Amino acid sequence: MIETDKIKKILYGGDYNPEQWPEEVWEEDMRMLKLANIDILTLNVFNWAMLQPDEDTYDFSKLDKIMKLVRDNGFKVFMATSTGAHPAWMARKHPDILRTQANGVRRKYGRRHNACPNSPTYRKYAAALTEKIAMRYADYDNIVAWHVSNEYGGICYCENCEKKFREWLQKKYQTIDAVNHAWNMNFWSHTLYDWEDIVAPSLITEEFENDGLRTTFQGISLDYARFNSDSMLECYKIEKEILTKITPHIPVTTNFMGMFKTLDYQKWSKELDFVGWDNYPEYNDEPAEIAMRHDLMRGLKQGKPFALLEQTPSVNNWHAICKLKRPGVMRLWSYQAVAHGADTVMFFQMRRSLGACEKFHGAVIDHVGHEDTRVFREIEDMGLELQDKMKDLTLGSRMDSKIAILFDWDNWWASEFSAGPSKSINYPKEVKQYYKALYNLHHSVDMISVEDDLSEYQLVIAPLLYMCKEGYDEKIREYVKNGGTFLTTYFSGYVDEHDLVVTGGYPGKLRDILGIWVEEIDALPEEESNSFYYKGKTHPAYLACDLMHLEGAEELCSYNSDFYMGMPVVTKNRYGNGLAYYVGTRTDESFYRDFLQAICEELDIKPVIQAPEGIEATLRKNKNGEFLFLLNHTKEPFLVKMEKDGKNILTGCSYRAGDPIVLKEADVAIIQMIGSEES
Ligand code: GLA
Ligand code: ZN
């Protein structure tokens, strides 16, 4: 992570683009940013055109001035490499850097994140620029971290990528026969004879649009998704290696985007010194959903703190509806990030742009140009609070979760590429049902990958585990045998990592662990549902209904109607010393809550607090003790009864066990538990 030991506070600031403004305003910027209690600036995110006006000329004169200005004014820097958007001359002279879209159209110069990740020209110039920047500013001791490129993303389908895809496949499969087998190419007479027969799967080959990208050959599309993610990762690694070589003492990262489908962040995060991400919820995203994204980002480094690198202070420009964050919500969402593991609070951007598509994006300094604005005041107050109240108290703290939810990018790609059983199958949505129930019950949850160890968890939930990778069934089997509790759902265990069906009955290799055999799956249209009883309540069965037989498991619920009335829908199996639950359909929130509550009670997993829904609660621990975060996302005041003695570090108020603590709308309390610090 960033050397928070030296910095001793939650870094506060964000993207600053003074090169887009006349120099006359720079001094005023410095005054206002200091007034806002900002201490870190992300610089040089999109400056390639300025830094390299042609093939042979580099011009650092303006960036030198900016670096000096910022250092002289005492700011720390997240230094970016500017390779997220290439200059126009490069596209004009070297069209190989331009991406080709899924529809086969080669793009012209425009937008950003626009370079083909496999273009040798792009890689050469990106590396050269990175090296020059690193050499030039290596001695700036206010650089806290390198920020490589910006928000990698997108997919390229150019011929260059196609060539590289063949090489990537050769390395992975060695023989063309192995490729034919992995992709099941004797279907529709697709047998490939030669590596040259392989083309990028796109809208002019195997893929088609049907409310999202679908494909006739899941195997090839899946490998292309992996290859594209790897190609961009290669670009990142080229820059990272240069930076680490020149400044081994400065950590390197890039900004992630939460649940972002195109890049396998679990694979990427291994190459990052710490994880950082940009949090831009839609105005109507549920707090639980935002919390889940934070937990996913924290999970990428097995629970280590992450950096909140961007959020808007007030409003976005790129959502369909750019609703203002209500008073207090910027603070509330900033602390929500901290509550889930963030050790920085940062914004995009410091000064609102003059033109182009981000001119109406929120900023610390608005177009009016002075500090007398609601947004500025909120930012200033928050900055002061971080400086005077939070200090370094929570830095480096970890969470202690007994529950894990599995999230796997390959499974995301594969389950949604699948033709059938329903195009409404949505992996993140399924994961969210389980996450949200636990969130509402105030349980701490880790979002883990298939590589993470399970032994520390009492409950592991793997919703919609359509793809069960080689060996993962064994990992679950061992975990359950040794006393763990596992839960999975409909559409699980169907395929291996090539998207080839595991024959012998669904859910494939998970069958013995779950003690069931799923014979068929009935997809229901939106207007139809089945139902089942659980603890005296009726719950709907939507989307997909498994028709299953018990093979040792116990039936907990059965369908109420249709030709499979009476067949089990929710089951529980004793396996070794543990338990394996199966939920054979999508149902409603109240079921997930009641069901997970019952499981947690049975396993004696304690929530962070005992309180009704509406308040968010997390617990972070470090040598300074245990910090209970309470966040009120509702419009009403909320009362929580303290379970132990503690002190609210934001207000200084002390509480005894049993005392009520009242949080107003959008308010936050951070309670340091008395006696919890390490002696
Ligand atoms: C992203 C980018 C920024 C900016 C913001 C606007 O997160 O990284 O450069 O475009 O979005 O919300
Ligand atoms: Zn390409």
Side-chain angles (χ1 to χ4, degrees), residues 411 462-469 472-474 476-477 486-496 500-521 546-553 568-569 571 573 580-584:
N411 186 49
L464 219 133
L465 187 58
Y466 165 71
M467 176 183 285
C468 186
K469 292 174 171 170
Y472 201 64
D473 60 303
E474 200 40 44
I476 297 167
R477 198 170 282 111
F486 175 70
L487 187 161
T488 189
T489 72
Y490 71 94
F491 210 41
S492 289
Y494 277 70
V495 298
D496 66 10
L500 290 175
V501 167
V502 178
T503 53
Y506 315 127
K509 293 180 178 166
L510 303 175
R511 191 167 156 188
D512 62 314
I513 308 170
L514 294 156
I516 53 163
W517 165 43
V518 175
E519 186 179 346
E520 292 181 271
I521 183 165
D546 275 338
L547 279 57
M548 63 171 136
H549 306 277
L550 302 174
E551 292 182 337
V569 54
T571 60
N573 193 35
Y581 288 94
Y582 189 81
V583 180

Side-chain angles (χ1 to χ4, degrees), residues 303-324:
K304 283 198 192 130
F306 60 88
L308 174 63
L309 289 174
E310 289 182 31
Q311 61 173 339
T312 179
S314 55
V315 70
N316 280 92
N317 64 284
W318 47 271
H319 287 154
I321 296 161
C322 304
K323 192 172 170 179
L324 292 177

